Amino acid sequence: MDYKRFDKKIVLRLKKGDKIIESLEKLANEENITGAHFQGIGAVNELKIGILHPGDDDYQWDTYNEDLEITSLIGNITIFDQKPIVHTHITCAGEGSKVIGGHLGEATCSFTAEIFIDLIDGKLEKQAYTDLGINIIEF
């Protein structure tokens, strides 16, 4: 993982073997990020994605171990329980142009990923929303 900061923007470059969520969490801690939005592209060969159905306690997870192109990576960094939390959705394309996507549990880069992070001047905190069983940004 390498990155460069440009005032209120960070460009994060991941290399083969780097994990996306793990790297974003590490960056958030190193740079003391309390609010950000990001998007990226790249390639992965290990992917865990899921969907959360209302009323369920956990995501329904699917895993893929194949070469996939990231066609869209989008998410945010907020604070939950006084720690940075990364919330990310991903869409990937594979052989035959099949497309898969969902909530990103984790993914391992097969070549690289380039993620552009827009920092928010302030602190975005999430609170547990027990009615739905999720954490939401609270203003």
Side-chain angles (χ1 to χ4, degrees), residues 1 3-5 7-12 23-38 75-80 82-86 115-125:
M1 165 180 114
Y3 68 90
K4 185 169 183 178
R5 187 169 183 155
D7 193 30
K8 293 290 182 185
K9 296 187 185 295
I10 296 175
V11 179
L12 173 64
S23 297
L24 284 163
E25 287 174 347
K26 181 178 178 185
L27 174 71
N29 282 303
E30 285 180 12
E31 289 290 321
N32 194 31
I33 298 173
T34 59
H37 174 268
F38 60 85
N76 60 49
I77 301 170
T78 57
I79 300 297
F80 182 72
Q82 301 177 348
K83 295 184 289 188
I85 186 168
V86 175
I115 303 171
F116 293 75
I117 303 158
D118 293 310
L119 303 174
I120 295 171
D121 191 21
K123 186 176 185 180
L124 290 177
E125 290 193 71

mmCIF file of all heavy atoms in Angstrom, residues 1 3-5 7-12 23-38 75-80 82-86 115-125:
data_model
loop_
_atom_site.group_PDB
_atom_site.id
_atom_site.type_symbol
_atom_site.label_atom_id
_atom_site.label_comp_id
_atom_site.label_asym_id
_atom_site.label_seq_id
_atom_site.Cartn_x
_atom_site.Cartn_y
_atom_site.Cartn_z
ATOM 1 N N MET A 1 0.850 -1.178 0.000
ATOM 2 C CA MET A 1 0.000 0.000 0.000
ATOM 3 C C MET A 1 0.890 1.234 0.000
ATOM 4 O O MET A 1 1.791 1.359 0.821
ATOM 5 C CB MET A 1 -0.887 -0.035 1.238
ATOM 6 C CG MET A 1 -1.567 1.260 1.576
ATOM 7 S SD MET A 1 -2.600 1.172 3.050
ATOM 8 C CE MET A 1 -1.699 2.258 4.127
ATOM 9 N N TYR A 3 0.458 5.674 -0.665
ATOM 10 C CA TYR A 3 -0.502 6.751 -0.884
ATOM 11 C C TYR A 3 0.199 8.095 -0.837
ATOM 12 O O TYR A 3 1.306 8.238 -0.321
ATOM 13 C CB TYR A 3 -1.641 6.701 0.131
ATOM 14 C CG TYR A 3 -1.259 7.014 1.565
ATOM 15 C CD1 TYR A 3 -1.298 8.326 2.047
ATOM 16 C CD2 TYR A 3 -0.867 6.007 2.440
ATOM 17 C CE1 TYR A 3 -0.968 8.612 3.360
ATOM 18 C CE2 TYR A 3 -0.538 6.288 3.757
ATOM 19 C CZ TYR A 3 -0.589 7.587 4.207
ATOM 20 O OH TYR A 3 -0.253 7.871 5.502
ATOM 21 N N LYS A 4 -0.488 9.059 -1.405
ATOM 22 C CA LYS A 4 -0.008 10.433 -1.366
ATOM 23 C C LYS A 4 -1.196 11.333 -1.066
ATOM 24 O O LYS A 4 -2.281 11.152 -1.627
ATOM 25 C CB LYS A 4 0.635 10.832 -2.693
ATOM 26 C CG LYS A 4 1.257 12.209 -2.645
ATOM 27 C CD LYS A 4 2.105 12.496 -3.846
ATOM 28 C CE LYS A 4 2.741 13.869 -3.686
ATOM 29 N NZ LYS A 4 3.620 14.204 -4.803
ATOM 30 N N ARG A 5 -0.961 12.283 -0.171
ATOM 31 C CA ARG A 5 -2.009 13.228 0.209
ATOM 32 C C ARG A 5 -1.829 14.527 -0.550
ATOM 33 O O ARG A 5 -0.731 15.045 -0.669
ATOM 34 C CB ARG A 5 -1.957 13.479 1.716
ATOM 35 C CG ARG A 5 -3.122 14.301 2.197
ATOM 36 C CD ARG A 5 -3.197 14.316 3.698
ATOM 37 N NE ARG A 5 -4.365 15.063 4.106
ATOM 38 C CZ ARG A 5 -4.991 14.907 5.245
ATOM 39 N NH1 ARG A 5 -4.554 14.038 6.121
ATOM 40 N NH2 ARG A 5 -6.039 15.624 5.542
ATOM 41 N N ASP A 7 -3.683 17.900 -0.006
ATOM 42 C CA ASP A 7 -4.598 18.726 0.770
ATOM 43 C C ASP A 7 -5.770 17.875 1.270
ATOM 44 O O ASP A 7 -5.600 17.068 2.163
ATOM 45 C CB ASP A 7 -5.062 19.949 -0.032
ATOM 46 C CG ASP A 7 -5.759 20.996 0.834
ATOM 47 O OD1 ASP A 7 -5.413 21.100 2.029
ATOM 48 O OD2 ASP A 7 -6.644 21.702 0.324
ATOM 49 N N LYS A 8 -6.948 17.997 0.698
ATOM 50 C CA LYS A 8 -8.135 17.272 1.166
ATOM 51 C C LYS A 8 -8.436 16.036 0.325
ATOM 52 O O LYS A 8 -9.559 15.512 0.341
ATOM 53 C CB LYS A 8 -9.362 18.195 1.177
ATOM 54 C CG LYS A 8 -9.269 19.300 2.203
ATOM 55 C CD LYS A 8 -9.378 18.712 3.597
ATOM 56 C CE LYS A 8 -9.328 19.801 4.643
ATOM 57 N NZ LYS A 8 -9.310 19.236 5.988
ATOM 58 N N LYS A 9 -7.452 15.562 -0.424
ATOM 59 C CA LYS A 9 -7.613 14.359 -1.232
ATOM 60 C C LYS A 9 -6.424 13.436 -0.993
ATOM 61 O O LYS A 9 -5.306 13.890 -0.775
ATOM 62 C CB LYS A 9 -7.707 14.691 -2.715
ATOM 63 C CG LYS A 9 -8.937 15.515 -3.060
ATOM 64 C CD LYS A 9 -9.078 15.688 -4.554
ATOM 65 C CE LYS A 9 -10.213 16.596 -4.902
ATOM 66 N NZ LYS A 9 -11.516 16.118 -4.550
ATOM 67 N N ILE A 10 -6.688 12.127 -1.033
ATOM 68 C CA ILE A 10 -5.635 11.127 -0.910
ATOM 69 C C ILE A 10 -5.788 10.160 -2.070
ATOM 70 O O ILE A 10 -6.906 9.714 -2.377
ATOM 71 C CB ILE A 10 -5.719 10.361 0.426
ATOM 72 C CG1 ILE A 10 -5.497 11.309 1.605
ATOM 73 C CG2 ILE A 10 -4.706 9.216 0.453
ATOM 74 C CD1 ILE A 10 -5.691 10.668 2.974
ATOM 75 N N VAL A 11 -4.673 9.847 -2.723
ATOM 76 C CA VAL A 11 -4.667 8.814 -3.747
ATOM 77 C C VAL A 11 -3.963 7.605 -3.144
ATOM 78 O O VAL A 11 -2.812 7.692 -2.724
ATOM 79 C CB VAL A 11 -3.955 9.287 -5.035
ATOM 80 C CG1 VAL A 11 -3.940 8.161 -6.069
ATOM 81 C CG2 VAL A 11 -4.632 10.535 -5.594
ATOM 82 N N LEU A 12 -4.694 6.498 -3.077
ATOM 83 C CA LEU A 12 -4.208 5.258 -2.481
ATOM 84 C C LEU A 12 -3.977 4.252 -3.600
ATOM 85 O O LEU A 12 -4.865 4.002 -4.415
ATOM 86 C CB LEU A 12 -5.244 4.714 -1.492
ATOM 87 C CG LEU A 12 -5.011 3.341 -0.875
ATOM 88 C CD1 LEU A 12 -3.762 3.325 -0.001
ATOM 89 C CD2 LEU A 12 -6.232 2.917 -0.067
ATOM 90 N N SER A 23 -6.566 -2.216 4.029
ATOM 91 C CA SER A 23 -5.722 -1.080 3.652
ATOM 92 C C SER A 23 -6.418 0.250 3.916
ATOM 93 O O SER A 23 -5.791 1.198 4.415
ATOM 94 C CB SER A 23 -5.325 -1.178 2.179
ATOM 95 O OG SER A 23 -4.553 -2.334 1.945
ATOM 96 N N LEU A 24 -7.711 0.333 3.607
ATOM 97 C CA LEU A 24 -8.456 1.567 3.875
ATOM 98 C C LEU A 24 -8.544 1.854 5.373
ATOM 99 O O LEU A 24 -8.421 3.005 5.802
ATOM 100 C CB LEU A 24 -9.849 1.495 3.254
ATOM 101 C CG LEU A 24 -9.902 1.683 1.740
ATOM 102 C CD1 LEU A 24 -11.235 1.195 1.181
ATOM 103 C CD2 LEU A 24 -9.659 3.139 1.365
ATOM 104 N N GLU A 25 -8.731 0.807 6.176
ATOM 105 C CA GLU A 25 -8.774 0.994 7.632
ATOM 106 C C GLU A 25 -7.416 1.452 8.159
ATOM 107 O O GLU A 25 -7.341 2.335 9.017
ATOM 108 C CB GLU A 25 -9.209 -0.291 8.320
ATOM 109 C CG GLU A 25 -10.677 -0.592 8.135
ATOM 110 C CD GLU A 25 -11.107 -1.942 8.689
ATOM 111 O OE1 GLU A 25 -10.237 -2.790 9.006
ATOM 112 O OE2 GLU A 25 -12.339 -2.152 8.815
ATOM 113 N N LYS A 26 -6.340 0.884 7.647
ATOM 114 C CA LYS A 26 -4.992 1.281 8.061
ATOM 115 C C LYS A 26 -4.737 2.746 7.702
ATOM 116 O O LYS A 26 -4.237 3.517 8.519
ATOM 117 C CB LYS A 26 -3.952 0.380 7.394
ATOM 118 C CG LYS A 26 -2.531 0.699 7.780
ATOM 119 C CD LYS A 26 -1.546 -0.257 7.117
ATOM 120 C CE LYS A 26 -0.125 0.131 7.503
ATOM 121 N NZ LYS A 26 0.876 -0.667 6.806
ATOM 122 N N LEU A 27 -5.110 3.124 6.484
ATOM 123 C CA LEU A 27 -4.951 4.513 6.048
ATOM 124 C C LEU A 27 -5.771 5.452 6.932
ATOM 125 O O LEU A 27 -5.280 6.507 7.344
ATOM 126 C CB LEU A 27 -5.375 4.660 4.588
ATOM 127 C CG LEU A 27 -5.384 6.089 4.060
ATOM 128 C CD1 LEU A 27 -3.958 6.609 3.902
ATOM 129 C CD2 LEU A 27 -6.134 6.166 2.746
ATOM 130 N N ALA A 28 -7.009 5.076 7.236
ATOM 131 C CA ALA A 28 -7.878 5.920 8.067
ATOM 132 C C ALA A 28 -7.251 6.162 9.432
ATOM 133 O O ALA A 28 -7.314 7.276 9.963
ATOM 134 C CB ALA A 28 -9.252 5.287 8.216
ATOM 135 N N ASN A 29 -6.624 5.145 9.998
ATOM 136 C CA ASN A 29 -5.951 5.299 11.292
ATOM 137 C C ASN A 29 -4.684 6.143 11.169
ATOM 138 O O ASN A 29 -4.446 7.027 11.996
ATOM 139 C CB ASN A 29 -5.632 3.928 11.890
ATOM 140 C CG ASN A 29 -6.850 3.289 12.509
ATOM 141 O OD1 ASN A 29 -7.481 3.854 13.390
ATOM 142 N ND2 ASN A 29 -7.197 2.110 12.034
ATOM 143 N N GLU A 30 -3.870 5.895 10.146
ATOM 144 C CA GLU A 30 -2.628 6.652 9.954
ATOM 145 C C GLU A 30 -2.887 8.137 9.713
ATOM 146 O O GLU A 30 -2.149 8.988 10.207
ATOM 147 C CB GLU A 30 -1.831 6.091 8.765
ATOM 148 C CG GLU A 30 -1.136 4.794 9.051
ATOM 149 C CD GLU A 30 -0.353 4.255 7.856
ATOM 150 O OE1 GLU A 30 -0.166 4.998 6.854
ATOM 151 O OE2 GLU A 30 0.076 3.094 7.926
ATOM 152 N N GLU A 31 -3.926 8.438 8.940
ATOM 153 C CA GLU A 31 -4.207 9.822 8.560
ATOM 154 C C GLU A 31 -5.291 10.476 9.419
ATOM 155 O O GLU A 31 -5.715 11.591 9.131
ATOM 156 C CB GLU A 31 -4.602 9.890 7.077
ATOM 157 C CG GLU A 31 -3.451 9.632 6.134
ATOM 158 C CD GLU A 31 -2.425 10.750 6.127
ATOM 159 O OE1 GLU A 31 -2.807 11.947 6.199
ATOM 160 O OE2 GLU A 31 -1.224 10.428 6.060
ATOM 161 N N ASN A 32 -5.755 9.759 10.451
ATOM 162 C CA ASN A 32 -6.789 10.270 11.350
ATOM 163 C C ASN A 32 -8.015 10.764 10.570
ATOM 164 O O ASN A 32 -8.516 11.867 10.789
ATOM 165 C CB ASN A 32 -6.229 11.378 12.251
ATOM 166 C CG ASN A 32 -7.157 11.676 13.408
ATOM 167 O OD1 ASN A 32 -7.865 10.798 13.901
ATOM 168 N ND2 ASN A 32 -7.171 12.927 13.840
ATOM 169 N N ILE A 33 -8.504 9.933 9.665
ATOM 170 C CA ILE A 33 -9.666 10.285 8.852
ATOM 171 C C ILE A 33 -10.940 10.075 9.668
ATOM 172 O O ILE A 33 -11.181 8.995 10.187
ATOM 173 C CB ILE A 33 -9.706 9.440 7.558
ATOM 174 C CG1 ILE A 33 -8.459 9.741 6.706
ATOM 175 C CG2 ILE A 33 -10.986 9.722 6.777
ATOM 176 C CD1 ILE A 33 -8.309 8.830 5.496
ATOM 177 N N THR A 34 -11.741 11.131 9.771
ATOM 178 C CA THR A 34 -12.997 11.062 10.528
ATOM 179 C C THR A 34 -14.221 11.215 9.627
ATOM 180 O O THR A 34 -15.345 11.204 10.111
ATOM 181 C CB THR A 34 -13.029 12.137 11.631
ATOM 182 O OG1 THR A 34 -12.884 13.423 11.025
ATOM 183 C CG2 THR A 34 -11.917 11.908 12.646
ATOM 184 N N GLY A 35 -13.994 11.371 8.344
ATOM 185 C CA GLY A 35 -15.070 11.459 7.370
ATOM 186 C C GLY A 35 -14.496 11.543 5.974
ATOM 187 O O GLY A 35 -13.641 12.381 5.708
ATOM 188 N N ALA A 36 -14.940 10.650 5.083
ATOM 189 C CA ALA A 36 -14.437 10.656 3.715
ATOM 190 C C ALA A 36 -15.365 9.856 2.814
ATOM 191 O O ALA A 36 -16.142 9.022 3.272
ATOM 192 C CB ALA A 36 -13.030 10.071 3.652
ATOM 193 N N HIS A 37 -15.245 10.135 1.525
ATOM 194 C CA HIS A 37 -15.940 9.401 0.472
ATOM 195 C C HIS A 37 -14.859 8.946 -0.499
ATOM 196 O O HIS A 37 -13.891 9.673 -0.730
ATOM 197 C CB HIS A 37 -16.934 10.331 -0.233
ATOM 198 C CG HIS A 37 -17.590 9.713 -1.418
ATOM 199 N ND1 HIS A 37 -17.081 9.833 -2.690
ATOM 200 C CD2 HIS A 37 -18.686 8.942 -1.528
ATOM 201 C CE1 HIS A 37 -17.864 9.170 -3.523
ATOM 202 N NE2 HIS A 37 -18.846 8.627 -2.846
ATOM 203 N N PHE A 38 -15.003 7.754 -1.073
ATOM 204 C CA PHE A 38 -13.975 7.289 -2.007
ATOM 205 C C PHE A 38 -14.584 6.480 -3.146
ATOM 206 O O PHE A 38 -15.712 6.003 -3.067
ATOM 207 C CB PHE A 38 -12.907 6.467 -1.283
ATOM 208 C CG PHE A 38 -13.417 5.236 -0.587
ATOM 209 C CD1 PHE A 38 -13.572 4.038 -1.254
ATOM 210 C CD2 PHE A 38 -13.750 5.287 0.759
ATOM 211 C CE1 PHE A 38 -14.042 2.922 -0.614
ATOM 212 C CE2 PHE A 38 -14.214 4.162 1.421
ATOM 213 C CZ PHE A 38 -14.367 2.967 0.723
ATOM 214 N N GLY A 75 -17.498 4.022 -1.558
ATOM 215 C CA GLY A 75 -17.803 3.879 -0.147
ATOM 216 C C GLY A 75 -17.482 5.112 0.656
ATOM 217 O O GLY A 75 -17.197 6.183 0.112
ATOM 218 N N ASN A 76 -17.515 4.924 1.988
ATOM 219 C CA ASN A 76 -17.211 6.035 2.870
ATOM 220 C C ASN A 76 -16.435 5.545 4.092
ATOM 221 O O ASN A 76 -16.397 4.349 4.380
ATOM 222 C CB ASN A 76 -18.485 6.792 3.273
ATOM 223 C CG ASN A 76 -19.488 5.921 3.998
ATOM 224 O OD1 ASN A 76 -19.168 5.204 4.934
ATOM 225 N ND2 ASN A 76 -20.738 5.992 3.568
ATOM 226 N N ILE A 77 -15.839 6.498 4.752
ATOM 227 C CA ILE A 77 -15.156 6.259 6.019
ATOM 228 C C ILE A 77 -15.813 7.169 7.039
ATOM 229 O O ILE A 77 -15.909 8.382 6.830
ATOM 230 C CB ILE A 77 -13.644 6.551 5.928
ATOM 231 C CG1 ILE A 77 -12.997 5.676 4.854
ATOM 232 C CG2 ILE A 77 -12.966 6.343 7.290
ATOM 233 C CD1 ILE A 77 -11.553 6.056 4.522
ATOM 234 N N THR A 78 -16.289 6.569 8.119
ATOM 235 C CA THR A 78 -16.924 7.318 9.192
ATOM 236 C C THR A 78 -16.355 6.813 10.518
ATOM 237 O O THR A 78 -15.464 5.973 10.534
ATOM 238 C CB THR A 78 -18.458 7.127 9.163
ATOM 239 O OG1 THR A 78 -18.759 5.733 9.261
ATOM 240 C CG2 THR A 78 -19.066 7.696 7.888
ATOM 241 N N ILE A 79 -16.912 7.306 11.606
ATOM 242 C CA ILE A 79 -16.472 6.881 12.939
ATOM 243 C C ILE A 79 -17.622 6.123 13.603
ATOM 244 O O ILE A 79 -18.767 6.568 13.592
ATOM 245 C CB ILE A 79 -16.079 8.114 13.802
ATOM 246 C CG1 ILE A 79 -14.939 8.896 13.149
ATOM 247 C CG2 ILE A 79 -15.718 7.688 15.227
ATOM 248 C CD1 ILE A 79 -13.637 8.139 13.006
ATOM 249 N N PHE A 80 -17.286 4.968 14.188
ATOM 250 C CA PHE A 80 -18.250 4.178 14.955
ATOM 251 C C PHE A 80 -17.523 3.650 16.188
ATOM 252 O O PHE A 80 -16.437 3.085 16.069
ATOM 253 C CB PHE A 80 -18.816 3.019 14.134
ATOM 254 C CG PHE A 80 -19.841 2.207 14.879
ATOM 255 C CD1 PHE A 80 -21.099 2.728 15.126
ATOM 256 C CD2 PHE A 80 -19.540 0.943 15.342
ATOM 257 C CE1 PHE A 80 -22.054 1.994 15.815
ATOM 258 C CE2 PHE A 80 -20.482 0.192 16.040
ATOM 259 C CZ PHE A 80 -21.737 0.723 16.270
ATOM 260 N N GLN A 82 -15.872 5.285 18.287
ATOM 261 C CA GLN A 82 -14.621 6.050 18.361
ATOM 262 C C GLN A 82 -13.501 5.491 17.481
ATOM 263 O O GLN A 82 -12.341 5.828 17.672
ATOM 264 C CB GLN A 82 -14.152 6.188 19.809
ATOM 265 C CG GLN A 82 -15.174 6.878 20.674
ATOM 266 C CD GLN A 82 -14.766 6.974 22.125
ATOM 267 O OE1 GLN A 82 -13.826 6.348 22.576
ATOM 268 N NE2 GLN A 82 -15.507 7.773 22.874
ATOM 269 N N LYS A 83 -13.851 4.636 16.488
ATOM 270 C CA LYS A 83 -12.859 4.089 15.568
ATOM 271 C C LYS A 83 -13.345 4.288 14.137
ATOM 272 O O LYS A 83 -14.551 4.260 13.875
ATOM 273 C CB LYS A 83 -12.648 2.588 15.809
ATOM 274 C CG LYS A 83 -12.047 2.255 17.156
ATOM 275 C CD LYS A 83 -11.785 0.771 17.283
ATOM 276 C CE LYS A 83 -13.106 0.050 17.410
ATOM 277 N NZ LYS A 83 -12.998 -1.364 17.726
ATOM 278 N N PRO A 84 -12.406 4.457 13.195
ATOM 279 C CA PRO A 84 -12.811 4.556 11.789
ATOM 280 C C PRO A 84 -13.460 3.252 11.312
ATOM 281 O O PRO A 84 -13.017 2.162 11.676
ATOM 282 C CB PRO A 84 -11.500 4.795 11.036
ATOM 283 C CG PRO A 84 -10.520 5.214 12.060
ATOM 284 C CD PRO A 84 -10.966 4.612 13.356
ATOM 285 N N ILE A 85 -14.513 3.393 10.531
ATOM 286 C CA ILE A 85 -15.182 2.238 9.934
ATOM 287 C C ILE A 85 -15.332 2.495 8.436
ATOM 288 O O ILE A 85 -15.677 3.604 8.020
ATOM 289 C CB ILE A 85 -16.547 1.952 10.610
ATOM 290 C CG1 ILE A 85 -17.149 0.666 10.067
ATOM 291 C CG2 ILE A 85 -17.487 3.097 10.477
ATOM 292 C CD1 ILE A 85 -18.332 0.165 10.867
ATOM 293 N N VAL A 86 -15.028 1.477 7.648
ATOM 294 C CA VAL A 86 -15.102 1.568 6.191
ATOM 295 C C VAL A 86 -16.353 0.832 5.728
ATOM 296 O O VAL A 86 -16.570 -0.324 6.081
ATOM 297 C CB VAL A 86 -13.845 0.943 5.552
ATOM 298 C CG1 VAL A 86 -13.961 0.931 4.036
ATOM 299 C CG2 VAL A 86 -12.586 1.697 5.985
ATOM 300 N N ILE A 115 -7.444 4.067 -5.629
ATOM 301 C CA ILE A 115 -8.590 4.582 -4.894
ATOM 302 C C ILE A 115 -8.375 6.062 -4.599
ATOM 303 O O ILE A 115 -7.337 6.447 -4.046
ATOM 304 C CB ILE A 115 -8.799 3.781 -3.588
ATOM 305 C CG1 ILE A 115 -8.970 2.286 -3.915
ATOM 306 C CG2 ILE A 115 -10.000 4.316 -2.813
ATOM 307 C CD1 ILE A 115 -8.969 1.377 -2.713
ATOM 308 N N PHE A 116 -9.345 6.874 -4.975
ATOM 309 C CA PHE A 116 -9.295 8.317 -4.786
ATOM 310 C C PHE A 116 -10.225 8.683 -3.645
ATOM 311 O O PHE A 116 -11.431 8.410 -3.710
ATOM 312 C CB PHE A 116 -9.679 9.039 -6.078
ATOM 313 C CG PHE A 116 -8.658 8.835 -7.174
ATOM 314 C CD1 PHE A 116 -8.578 7.634 -7.864
ATOM 315 C CD2 PHE A 116 -7.762 9.839 -7.477
ATOM 316 C CE1 PHE A 116 -7.629 7.435 -8.851
ATOM 317 C CE2 PHE A 116 -6.805 9.657 -8.471
ATOM 318 C CZ PHE A 116 -6.733 8.449 -9.159
ATOM 319 N N ILE A 117 -9.663 9.291 -2.608
ATOM 320 C CA ILE A 117 -10.384 9.559 -1.368
ATOM 321 C C ILE A 117 -10.568 11.063 -1.192
ATOM 322 O O ILE A 117 -9.590 11.817 -1.207
ATOM 323 C CB ILE A 117 -9.617 8.967 -0.171
ATOM 324 C CG1 ILE A 117 -9.415 7.463 -0.390
ATOM 325 C CG2 ILE A 117 -10.331 9.255 1.139
ATOM 326 C CD1 ILE A 117 -8.273 6.880 0.384
ATOM 327 N N ASP A 118 -11.827 11.481 -1.045
ATOM 328 C CA ASP A 118 -12.160 12.880 -0.782
ATOM 329 C C ASP A 118 -12.440 13.029 0.706
ATOM 330 O O ASP A 118 -13.406 12.454 1.222
ATOM 331 C CB ASP A 118 -13.389 13.318 -1.581
ATOM 332 C CG ASP A 118 -13.125 13.333 -3.072
ATOM 333 O OD1 ASP A 118 -12.108 13.916 -3.484
ATOM 334 O OD2 ASP A 118 -13.930 12.748 -3.820
ATOM 335 N N LEU A 119 -11.596 13.787 1.387
ATOM 336 C CA LEU A 119 -11.744 13.990 2.825
ATOM 337 C C LEU A 119 -12.817 15.022 3.118
ATOM 338 O O LEU A 119 -12.944 16.023 2.408
ATOM 339 C CB LEU A 119 -10.416 14.428 3.432
ATOM 340 C CG LEU A 119 -9.240 13.474 3.205
ATOM 341 C CD1 LEU A 119 -7.954 14.082 3.732
ATOM 342 C CD2 LEU A 119 -9.513 12.122 3.820
ATOM 343 N N ILE A 120 -13.576 14.786 4.153
ATOM 344 C CA ILE A 120 -14.623 15.704 4.596
ATOM 345 C C ILE A 120 -14.086 16.478 5.787
ATOM 346 O O ILE A 120 -13.502 15.899 6.704
ATOM 347 C CB ILE A 120 -15.904 14.924 4.962
ATOM 348 C CG1 ILE A 120 -16.464 14.274 3.697
ATOM 349 C CG2 ILE A 120 -16.926 15.828 5.640
ATOM 350 C CD1 ILE A 120 -17.589 13.313 3.946
ATOM 351 N N ASP A 121 -14.256 17.772 5.747
ATOM 352 C CA ASP A 121 -13.776 18.632 6.821
ATOM 353 C C ASP A 121 -14.745 18.551 7.996
ATOM 354 O O ASP A 121 -15.673 19.338 8.111
ATOM 355 C CB ASP A 121 -13.640 20.069 6.314
ATOM 356 C CG ASP A 121 -12.904 20.953 7.302
ATOM 357 O OD1 ASP A 121 -12.168 20.409 8.144
ATOM 358 O OD2 ASP A 121 -13.076 22.179 7.230
ATOM 359 N N GLY A 122 -14.552 17.553 8.824
ATOM 360 C CA GLY A 122 -15.434 17.336 9.960
ATOM 361 C C GLY A 122 -15.467 15.867 10.319
ATOM 362 O O GLY A 122 -14.782 15.048 9.719
ATOM 363 N N LYS A 123 -16.296 15.555 11.293
ATOM 364 C CA LYS A 123 -16.386 14.194 11.800
ATOM 365 C C LYS A 123 -17.772 13.628 11.503
ATOM 366 O O LYS A 123 -18.778 14.228 11.870
ATOM 367 C CB LYS A 123 -16.129 14.201 13.311
ATOM 368 C CG LYS A 123 -16.047 12.849 13.950
ATOM 369 C CD LYS A 123 -15.686 13.023 15.429
ATOM 370 C CE LYS A 123 -15.461 11.711 16.124
ATOM 371 N NZ LYS A 123 -15.120 11.905 17.541
ATOM 372 N N LEU A 124 -17.810 12.495 10.811
ATOM 373 C CA LEU A 124 -19.062 11.802 10.541
ATOM 374 C C LEU A 124 -19.128 10.588 11.447
ATOM 375 O O LEU A 124 -18.302 9.684 11.349
ATOM 376 C CB LEU A 124 -19.132 11.349 9.081
ATOM 377 C CG LEU A 124 -19.278 12.447 8.043
ATOM 378 C CD1 LEU A 124 -19.259 11.846 6.643
ATOM 379 C CD2 LEU A 124 -20.562 13.236 8.258
ATOM 380 N N GLU A 125 -20.123 10.571 12.345
ATOM 381 C CA GLU A 125 -20.242 9.461 13.283
ATOM 382 C C GLU A 125 -21.467 8.619 12.951
ATOM 383 O O GLU A 125 -22.514 9.141 12.592
ATOM 384 C CB GLU A 125 -20.357 9.976 14.714
ATOM 385 C CG GLU A 125 -19.061 10.572 15.204
ATOM 386 C CD GLU A 125 -19.058 10.787 16.702
ATOM 387 O OE1 GLU A 125 -19.005 9.782 17.437
ATOM 388 O OE2 GLU A 125 -19.118 11.957 17.118
#
